[in-house]
Amino acid sequence: MFKNKIFILIVSILIAITLILTAAFVLWNFMEKNNESKDPSVQAQDAAASVKPTKAPSAEAVKANTAIIKDILTNLSGSQNFIKISFAFELENSKGKTEFDSLLDSAVKGTIVQTLGDLTKEQIEGSKGSDNLTSTLMNKLNPLLHAGKIKQIWITDKVLQ
């Protein structure tokens, strides 16, 4: 009889410890998700920080891994304003550029037009607006790529009317 009580007590303690550890694990994951920033510039910085550091590439390597999109023309949100804009996307490797080029006419341009259509003239004006746009585009386009990630986005031409 005494041995049964000790066995039941040990099993009860193990179950209690398991429940406490499970609750701690769930709470830890919940707190981590709440710590993630909703700011596009912070998310873009985190994505850029996850790019593997390498030695400084040569100018030829940067040019070989850069995709250029010229003259995207679309309306802005909620007004009669429109924007004509060009971009240069630097990718981390040639496989990433090849994949980016294959998605260029469909997913990439579609994402750019959709993102621009959600912005107003006031949101895109100035350097802060340009930074916000490039951060948002990096956050939306990097998940589409599997062979490499976007390192940098430059706005090479912008006409806002």
Side-chain angles (χ1 to χ4, degrees), residues 44-59:
Q45 288 174 353
D46 291 343
S50 70
V51 173
K52 300 172 210 85
T54 59
K55 62 180 182 176
S58 65

Side-chain angles (χ1 to χ4, degrees), residues 74-83 113-124 160-161:
T74 189
N75 292 331
L76 295 175
S77 176
S79 66
Q80 297 297 326
N81 296 324
F82 66 90
I83 187 167
V113 169
Q114 179 184 17
T115 303
L116 289 171
D118 290 339
L119 298 174
T120 62
K121 180 178 180 182
E122 292 76 27
Q123 290 174 320
I124 202 165
L160 186 59
Q161 180 118 6

Side-chain angles (χ1 to χ4, degrees), residues 80-97:
Q80 297 297 326
N81 296 324
F82 66 90
I83 187 167
K84 182 179 177 184
I85 193 164
S86 300
F87 295 99
F89 295 88
E90 182 186 348
L91 289 102
E92 63 182 349
N93 56 36
S94 59
K95 290 180 183 177
K97 182 179 184 303

Side-chain angles (χ1 to χ4, degrees), residues 61-77:
V62 171
K63 185 176 181 181
N65 292 333
T66 301
I68 297 174
I69 299 176
K70 292 187 177 199
D71 300 334
I72 293 179
L73 180 65
T74 189
N75 292 331
L76 295 175
S77 176

